[in-house]
Amino acid sequence: MSAEIERYEAVLSSTPLGCLLLDSGVIQLVNPEAVETLGIPVDRLVGVPLTELLVPDDEAGCRELLTRAVDEPLIRARTTSVRLARGLAPMELLARSVGDGLVMVGVRSMAAEHQYSAQAGGALTHDLVTGFPDHYHVLSQLNDRLAIPNRKPLALLGLWIDDLPSIADVNGRRALNRVMRETGLRLQDRLRGPDVLGRFDETGFLVLMSSEASADELTAVAERLRSEVAFPVELDQGLVSFSASVVVGSITSARVSIERVLALLEAAANRAASSKGNRTDFLSI
């Protein structure tokens, strides 16, 4: 540790809120409050790029925050909202340059704010296009289910609309949104009450199900849903046609990380895209 970095140890130790000191985006110092807020031990923080602690969607925003803090040191502080890869916990980061390429980053948990929002009407937990739970909310539900000791078998179903860009090119953005809304509603109509349906990404949905069905039974369900939801959508007295791809997975392992599950789902989505879609895959996790 350089002398320049060492001199900030006293500053961090006297800071009442969570605080990190970064050099070129890599964490050099942390205070106990940051460890408690992030829920990550010191030895897994120091020496790690801050972006590696975040979900991939937030990495670019974090890098921009740190770059602007260095490039525009006269600005008092910059903030951005992110999610930790660990448990998808919502955080707010406040960054300010302290000179010599070093950046001080405050960390604040936004869990309480998100809980209040959900209680007040779900403004931060629902997708504006479809009205269903958004990406982070459904993944938080998945993370909670994976953490339950001696949980019941859990099944996942992901459904993606094939080649959405061509729908937008031919029919406009409004058609794309209409297809996503109608597909979500059709899925919801065919699910059971306890199942959780939410937006997975720009092109698809994720369903969480408690199910002890066999691989063959789950695949049959997926095939049926794929054919039932992917029929033309009415728009401006015309029809917008599309196809869909489905992946269904059975989580039987007692210990599996949400990162592993997401990697398998994204790999299945990529396979569908590369093969022009209209297919069904099964994952055993």
Side-chain angles (χ1 to χ4, degrees), residues 15 51 55 70 72 94 98 131 147 165 193 204 209 239-240 242 257 264 281:
T15 301
T51 54
V55 297
V70 172
E72 303 172 7
L94 299 88
V98 291
M209 304 177 288
L239 295 175
V240 178
F242 62 98
S257 68
L264 291 172
D281 276 346

Side-chain angles (χ1 to χ4, degrees), residues 5 9 26 63 149 168 180 182-183 200 210 235 249 277:
I5 292 174
E9 285 188 295
V26 178
R63 282 193 291 269
M180 292 304 296
E182 287 295 319
T183 301
F200 182 73
S210 294
L235 180 73

Side-chain angles (χ1 to χ4, degrees), residues 31-164:
N31 65 1
E33 289 75 15
V35 172
E36 181 178 356
T37 299
L38 297 172
I40 302 173
V42 173
D43 59 358
R44 293 180 59 187
L45 290 173
V46 174
V48 176
L50 179 58
T51 54
E52 289 188 6
L53 305 179
L54 311 178
V55 297
D57 290 351
D58 291 342
E59 291 178 2
C62 180
R63 282 193 291 269
E64 181 183 2
L65 173 76
L66 301 179
T67 299
R68 296 187 70 176
V70 172
D71 294 344
E72 303 172 7
L74 297 181
I75 303 296
R76 184 174 180 84
R78 294 190 176 278
T79 66
T80 190
S81 297
V82 298
R83 293 270 184 163
L84 295 182
R86 182 188 178 95
L88 301 171
M91 296 284 161
E92 183 180 69
L93 305 180
L94 299 88
R96 184 180 184 186
S97 172
V98 291
D100 299 314
L102 302 178
V103 176
M104 198 81 76
V105 177
V107 294
R108 183 166 75 100
S109 171
M110 300 296 289
E113 285 82 351
H114 279 235
Q115 181 179 1
Y116 295 149
S117 173
Q119 293 172 346
L124 293 181
T125 60
H126 283 68
D127 173 55
L128 294 179
V129 172
T130 65
F132 292 108
D134 66 11
H135 175 78
Y136 290 121
H137 185 70
V138 73
L139 292 187
S140 295
Q141 293 290 316
L142 172 59
N143 188 68
D144 291 344
R145 293 189 182 199
L146 292 176
I148 296 174
N150 303 316
R151 56 176 165 76
K152 295 180 179 179
L154 177 62
L156 304 176
L157 185 142
L159 183 143
W160 288 269
I161 306 301
D162 297 323
D163 199 15
L164 267 184

Side-chain angles (χ1 to χ4, degrees), residues 246-274:
V246 175
V247 58
V248 65
S250 177
I251 301 179
T252 55
S253 173
R255 295 176 62 84
V256 61
S257 68
I258 190 170
E259 290 82 8
R260 171 66 175 162
V261 174
L262 292 179
L264 291 172
L265 288 172
E266 289 170 0
N270 291 335
R271 284 196 300 272
S274 64

